[in-house]
Amino acid sequence: MLLWILRLRIEMNIEKTIQWVRTDSLNGVSRMIDQTLLPYEYKKIDIKTTNEMYDAIKTMIVRGAPAIGIAGAHGVVLAALESINCSDFKAQVVKKANYINSSRPTAVNLSWAIKKQLEIVENFNETNEKIIELLIENAIKLEDEDIAINKRIGEFGSTVIPKGGSILTHCNAGGLATVGYGTALGVVRSAFEKDSSIKVFANETRPRQQGARLTTYELIRDGINTTLITDAMGAYFMKMGMIDVVVVGADRIAINGDSANKIGTYMVAIAAKYHNIPFYIAAPKSTIDSSIKSGDKIVIELRDSREVTEINGKTVCASNVNIINPGFDVTPASLITGIITEYGIFKPEELYKIFE
Ligand code: MRU
């Protein structure tokens, strides 16, 4: 217990990607790094309304499954503040929370965190002010827990990284995708603390380039040896013997281990299997959706075609070409060596044990 409190205090020193900031005894804002500006500009913005929160999640000012979960938790606080004088306070909060929940469909952490907040709204027969206070306390607790959970994922995950090993990762599952420290990049960070000779290959991650813009930004800042590659290069480097292990995050994991993550992850997993390279998912329990038996039940977000047709605002293809832009794909459990969680590393077929 003492160790846990000590660790929590250390973790609280990590700068948060997203954080509830009180402006007076009851009011406050959700302060977050605007990730659309990185790596050019590091800027924090304050989200003050539920409409602003919907837009921040939808436009990916805040992105990454655990981070949008916290955004959802803050969104419920904003919903309650906006509804404080309504006679149907609870119904209004639920309505606004559902609106925020509809901003992005694939990452289960969003609905998970909103549900946790709505349990408070529904179960407590207190004044509206008292309910808001409880919602703020819970949101801050979820923030701190996220960092602590990532640290545990990192500790477990570091055991699968060979000495001096090369890790391939896809998208950004780092401090920016969480409250701090990261899931897949938490594994990298923890391994780096023990062995500074490890190396990372970061997939660029088209179309939004989270790998190039965010993962290299985080890792280079931390002094970790990082090589940026385009998404099509991974299999080549595997064949050349330059990748020892793949570690990626997840947005929703079915109870059989099928895992949705950023589009392109499935292709990486197939290449890893072919080359006998271990492929790990690093994710908290909150990313596991125990209500779905397999990955074919996961809703895949379809995003704006301009993410594909435009680079830096310039069209890079024939103007009437067809575009389909799924944001995620599902890697089948059969391609996954293990799922690294805060409870340990599970084989996909043993994942159900985490709920026992
Ligand atoms: O569309 P994004 O950038 O929100 O997608 C993020 C990912 O796919 C991450 O890999 C995933 O959320 C894990 S984050 C710890």
Side-chain angles (χ1 to χ4, degrees):
M1 183 66 177
L2 196 67
L3 208 69
W4 176 260
I5 292 168
L6 215 67
R7 189 172 287 162
L8 204 66
R9 294 188 98 191
I10 294 165
E11 277 139 18
M12 279 155 93
N13 291 331
I14 290 180
E15 204 194 346
K16 292 180 173 180
T17 296
I18 175 166
Q19 177 174 29
W20 185 260
V21 177
R22 292 177 194 267
T23 51
D24 65 36
S25 60
L26 204 58
N27 289 299
V29 296
S30 174
R31 186 161 294 164
M32 57 180 73
I33 299 170
D34 183 344
Q35 299 192 39
T36 62
L37 302 177
L38 287 170
Y40 313 111
E41 193 184 344
Y42 180 92
K43 186 179 158 193
K44 289 198 173 178
I45 60 161
D46 288 348
I47 298 296
K48 301 184 183 105
T49 67
T50 48
N51 284 339
E52 284 176 9
M53 186 58 89
Y54 176 93
D55 290 342
I57 299 171
K58 182 103 188 153
T59 61
M60 295 170 64
I61 286 172
V62 58
R63 37 70 48 203
I68 66 172
I70 300 302
H74 291 179
V76 180
V77 180
L78 294 171
L81 286 168
E82 286 170 10
S83 313
I84 191 163
N85 294 321
C86 296
S87 54
D88 57 346
F89 171 75
K90 291 193 177 190
Q92 283 300 321
V93 178
V94 171
K95 192 172 145 204
K96 286 169 185 278
N98 287 340
Y99 174 61
I100 293 169
N101 195 27
S102 69
S103 55
R104 295 193 77 187
T106 304
V108 70
N109 307 61
L110 179 60
S111 55
W112 173 86
I114 288 176
K115 191 166 162 247
K116 285 217 162 277
Q117 291 286 62
L118 288 183
E119 277 166 13
I120 292 175
V121 176
E122 275 148 16
N123 296 339
F124 283 88
N125 278 326
E126 301 277 358
T127 62
N128 297 352
E129 286 76 8
K130 178 69 190 161
I131 289 176
I132 292 170
E133 189 48 52
L134 291 171
L135 289 172
I136 293 169
E137 278 169 18
N138 194 45
I140 295 169
K141 181 170 146 264
L142 290 174
E143 290 170 18
D144 293 336
E145 279 176 1
D146 185 71
I147 296 173
I149 286 167
N150 288 343
K151 284 268 188 171
R152 287 161 70 105
I153 290 172
E155 272 166 34
F156 284 120
S158 65
T159 63
V160 307
I161 310 298
K163 186 155 175 39
S166 280
I167 305 147
L168 175 67
T169 192
H170 189 71
C171 195
N172 172 266
L176 291 163
T178 60
V179 179
Y181 204 70
T183 54
L185 296 194
V187 171
V188 168
R189 288 199 162 96
S190 183
F192 179 75
E193 276 168 32
K194 294 169 188 148
D195 169 18
S196 61
S197 70
I198 61 156
K199 294 175 277 301
V200 176
F201 281 75
N203 271 352
E204 173 192 25
T205 320
R206 274 284 287 153
R208 296 283 298 217
Q209 294 174 293
Q210 291 94 327
R213 293 191 305 104
L214 308 175
T215 295
T216 69
Y217 170 84
E218 281 193 34
L219 295 180
I220 294 295
R221 188 192 53 192
D222 285 3
I224 299 173
N225 182 334
T226 306
T227 303
L228 173 66
I229 61 174
T230 67
D231 300 342
M233 293 178 184
Y236 170 79
F237 287 111
M238 288 179 189
K239 190 174 179 202
M240 299 300 284
M242 291 166 74
I243 309 291
D244 298 301
V245 55
V246 178
V247 186
V248 296
D251 291 84
R252 191 182 292 247
I253 305 173
I255 201 67
N256 72 342
D258 293 349
S259 298
N261 191 47
K262 181 52 56 195
I263 192 77
T265 305
Y266 178 34
M267 187 173 71
V268 176
I270 292 170
K273 184 80 169 180
Y274 184 80
H275 292 96
N276 278 320
I277 293 169
F279 178 97
Y280 288 95
I281 297 280
K285 185 183 174 189
S286 55
T287 302
I288 304 166
D289 185 348
S290 60
S291 74
I292 54 168
K293 288 204 174 80
S294 69
D296 52 13
K297 298 280 180 298
I298 298 176
V299 176
I300 300 295
E301 177 182 16
L302 283 177
R303 295 197 55 90
D304 194 319
S305 59
R306 280 173 303 177
E307 290 182 349
V308 178
T309 58
E310 292 178 6
I311 293 181
N312 291 337
K314 261 196 153 182
T315 304
V316 292
C317 54
S319 56
N320 55 353
V321 69
N322 297 328
I323 302 292
I324 311 173
N325 182 19
F328 302 91
D329 57 28
V330 177
T331 299
S334 58
L335 299 179
I336 298 170
T337 311
I339 298 173
I340 306 163
T341 74
E342 67 272 36
Y343 295 95
I345 305 177
F346 293 81
K347 288 191 178 133
E349 63 273 20
E350 289 175 347
L351 196 59
Y352 69 92
K353 288 185 182 166
I354 212 170
F355 291 94
E356 285 181 348

